[in-house]
Amino acid sequence: MSLWTSLEPLSTTVDPGSSTTVRLRVRNTGDVVDEYRFEPIGGLAPWTTVEPQTLRLYPGTTGSVELTFAPPRTPDATAGPNPYAVRITPTEHPEAVTVPEGNLTITPFTEVRAELVPPVVKGRFRGRPRLAVDNLGNTKVTGSLSGSDSGDRLSYDIQPSNVQIEPGRAAFVRTTLKPRQIIWFGSKEEQPYALALRRSGAKSVDVDGTYVQRGFLPGWLATVLGLLLTLTIAFVVIWLAYKPQVRSMATEKSSETVSAIPPPKESAAPTSAPPTPEPEKTPETETKSPEGDGDGGGGGGSETKKPPERTAAVAVHEIAALSGGRHICYRAYVADHGWQEPVCDGADAGMVGKGLPIKALNIAVSKTGGVRGASAYVVEGWRKGDKWQQQSTGKDMYLGSTKESYSALQGFTIGVLEGTVCQRTSVGGKGWGGRFCTKPADWIYGGSDMKLKLQLEAVRFTV
């Protein structure tokens, strides 16, 4: 080997969002002038720069380059020791590649964001807000959740009450608020409350919300019922106080009535003839409604049947019949365009860069045990009725809504019951993001960052 290398220092530490420098010394131990090219490799390569990138050395001389590491303050910068390496390729002897290795320790940092969707819930007996907790740090977050309000007027059912969130992942917590006293009559009342994520050795993350409790019956109805009750009582009192005196005159008038009746006449003829009976209806006299005779007469004829809709389940049955194995088929409902044709196994669904967001998704799978998911966000926050969907193999699952009054999707969650599912998304005209996959039988979030609230415009799925 005609090359000697040395890293100074061999191990170093850096904080996410800042940078550090390591010196790489190189000596030409050969007998010819050579030029060396430097290339970072490994997991830290995207955050590593080499200056200069090439070095020309005479025999027996030594030179140096600087390696600068600048990991971002994101969950991708994994906390702890991270090995790195630099490939050195001599121009004169390209087969004699040298790869010195070192170690970079990235310090941990914690950043947690929580959002209550919707921030205001309304109900007579309960409210069901959801708490979205994002781990934007590079270490796992473990904490417990609790609720509180002034006056202890609400009870809280939080599922789950404890969460463990990996770096770069989010947890969705379902909360049910119940008032301790029901408002039977009257107008609505607002009750502020707070949900708190508590972590050991760290400040709790508090999110404020408002529960608007409605009366069971409107206030005007109570007034009307009170007036009716008052009038009823007054009528009964007046009736009892001034009850009318009634006596029968039947006995006094009986003799007069008997004497006033004339004796019957035996030869009296009937004043009118008996009514003539109506003729009995026969099948020939009944009126029949006209029926079509096949030539278009009488308004009859068979109706043209609408062809069945080609859904994701239809497509996944077709591809499974041809090749078997695991497949995922899906289609998108694009604003102003309606449902697209279903596509499968990594193809594009939606429209990239057209400014036309996705309002709903239709997904079906084969050989995965089933599919599950939820429409995670919309522009105005969680919609009432959004919940986890789950369908077995070969069945259609729908996320979002095609109603014109509903906003477009901002994101979604998806998972399969057996194995893994991978997703890529394009949001808000920013182009395709990275490809992310679930752990076996887990779920994953895809779409816009909760803070940006960008609309979903295209998706790709593979299983």
Side-chain angles (χ1 to χ4, degrees):
M1 181 179 293
S2 62
L3 182 65
W4 171 87
T5 63
S6 175
L7 287 169
E8 301 174 356
L10 187 61
S11 298
T12 187
T13 302
V14 66
D15 296 327
S18 62
S19 62
T20 188
T21 302
V22 173
R23 183 180 298 275
L24 173 60
R25 295 172 61 84
V26 181
R27 178 183 299 167
N28 184 356
T29 58
D31 53 3
V32 296
V33 178
D34 209 342
E35 185 177 72
Y36 303 94
R37 289 183 288 107
F38 302 88
E39 179 186 3
I41 59 176
L44 299 183
W47 310 325
T48 307
T49 57
V50 182
E51 186 65 32
Q53 296 183 347
T54 61
L55 192 64
R56 185 178 180 85
L57 297 177
Y58 288 91
T61 60
T62 302
S64 64
V65 296
E66 288 189 348
L67 307 178
T68 302
F69 301 96
R73 190 177 175 83
T74 64
D76 297 331
T78 306
N82 291 267
Y84 69 88
V86 180
R87 181 189 292 120
I88 305 175
T89 306
T91 303
E92 297 296 331
H93 302 282
E95 73 281 355
V97 175
T98 302
V99 183
E101 298 180 355
N103 187 70
L104 178 69
T105 299
I106 300 177
T107 59
F109 77 95
T110 302
E111 184 176 350
V112 179
R113 294 181 186 175
E115 182 180 3
L116 197 61
V117 285
V120 178
V121 291
K122 301 177 182 180
R124 293 181 174 84
F125 304 108
R126 63 182 58 84
R128 291 189 175 93
R130 296 185 183 181
L131 182 66
V133 184
D134 258 337
N135 182 5
L136 304 180
N138 62 354
T139 57
K140 180 189 292 186
V141 169
T142 301
S144 60
L145 293 150
S146 61
S148 61
D149 61 272
S150 59
D152 194 25
R153 299 175 61 183
L154 301 175
S155 63
Y156 304 86
D157 182 14
I158 302 176
Q159 297 294 333
S161 58
N162 297 282
V163 293
Q164 287 188 347
I165 312 173
E166 297 293 336
R169 302 297 294 273
F172 299 93
V173 181
R174 298 184 301 273
T175 304
T176 302
L177 310 175
K178 292 184 179 180
R180 299 188 185 276
Q181 292 185 349
I182 298 175
I183 302 176
W184 294 104
F185 296 97
S187 60
K188 60 187 178 183
E189 294 183 4
E190 294 187 357
Q191 176 60 46
Y193 70 96
L195 297 181
L197 173 66
R198 306 184 186 278
R199 296 168 292 154
S200 177
K203 185 179 179 180
S204 65
V205 178
D206 298 329
V207 184
D208 296 328
T210 302
Y211 172 63
V212 180
Q213 184 180 1
R214 297 170 174 170
F216 183 74
L217 296 173
W220 62 265
L221 184 59
T223 303
V224 171
L225 292 177
L227 290 175
L228 290 176
L229 180 61
T230 302
L231 293 174
T232 302
I233 295 174
F235 177 78
V236 172
V237 171
I238 294 173
W239 174 268
L240 294 177
Y242 301 96
K243 184 177 180 180
Q245 301 296 322
V246 180
R247 60 190 183 92
S248 176
M249 303 295 293
T251 305
E252 299 176 2
K253 296 291 184 178
S254 59
S255 58
E256 298 178 7
T257 303
V258 172
S259 61
I261 298 176
K265 299 181 180 180
E266 297 180 359
S267 61
T271 60
S272 62
T276 304
E278 296 181 0
E280 183 179 356
K281 292 184 180 180
T282 64
E284 290 75 9
T285 60
E286 292 180 355
T287 303
K288 296 184 179 180
S289 60
E291 297 181 355
D293 56 2
D295 296 329
S302 59
E303 297 182 358
T304 303
K305 292 185 178 180
K306 186 178 180 180
E309 184 178 8
R310 183 173 168 79
T311 67
V314 175
V316 85
H317 279 296
E318 293 175 353
I319 192 171
L322 292 175
S323 60
R326 293 165 57 89
H327 297 282
I328 181 169
C329 294
Y330 45 94
R331 59 175 180 154
Y333 188 93
V334 180
D336 299 330
H337 279 68
W339 284 111
Q340 296 181 322
E341 283 295 309
V343 296
C344 303
D345 300 332
D348 295 359
M351 294 185 179
V352 179
K354 301 295 185 181
L356 298 173
I358 292 175
K359 299 193 68 174
L361 289 172
N362 170 209
I363 305 170
V365 295
S366 66
K367 299 293 185 180
T368 67
V371 63
R372 58 176 180 161
S375 47
Y377 287 94
V378 291
V379 172
E380 72 272 14
W382 286 97
R383 285 197 301 260
K384 183 178 181 182
D386 280 353
K387 61 182 180 180
W388 276 96
Q389 307 290 328
Q390 180 169 320
Q391 288 292 350
S392 57
T393 294
K395 300 292 186 180
D396 283 309
M397 181 183 75
Y398 290 89
L399 304 179
S401 175
T402 61
K403 292 183 178 179
E404 184 177 355
S405 59
Y406 278 45
S407 298
L409 288 175
Q410 179 188 338
F412 57 85
T413 53
I414 189 171
V416 292
L417 303 186
E418 298 175 5
T420 63
V421 61
C422 300
Q423 58 85 13
R424 289 188 69 187
T425 60
S426 175
V427 295
K430 293 185 175 296
W432 289 102
R435 180 174 180 266
F436 300 97
C437 302
T438 64
K439 296 180 180 179
D442 198 0
W443 57 269
I444 191 171
Y445 171 77
S448 171
D449 181 86
M450 286 185 293
K451 185 176 180 181
L452 297 178
K453 293 186 178 293
L454 299 177
Q455 293 179 332
L456 186 68
E457 62 179 13
V459 295
R460 296 174 182 169
F461 297 114
T462 55
V463 291

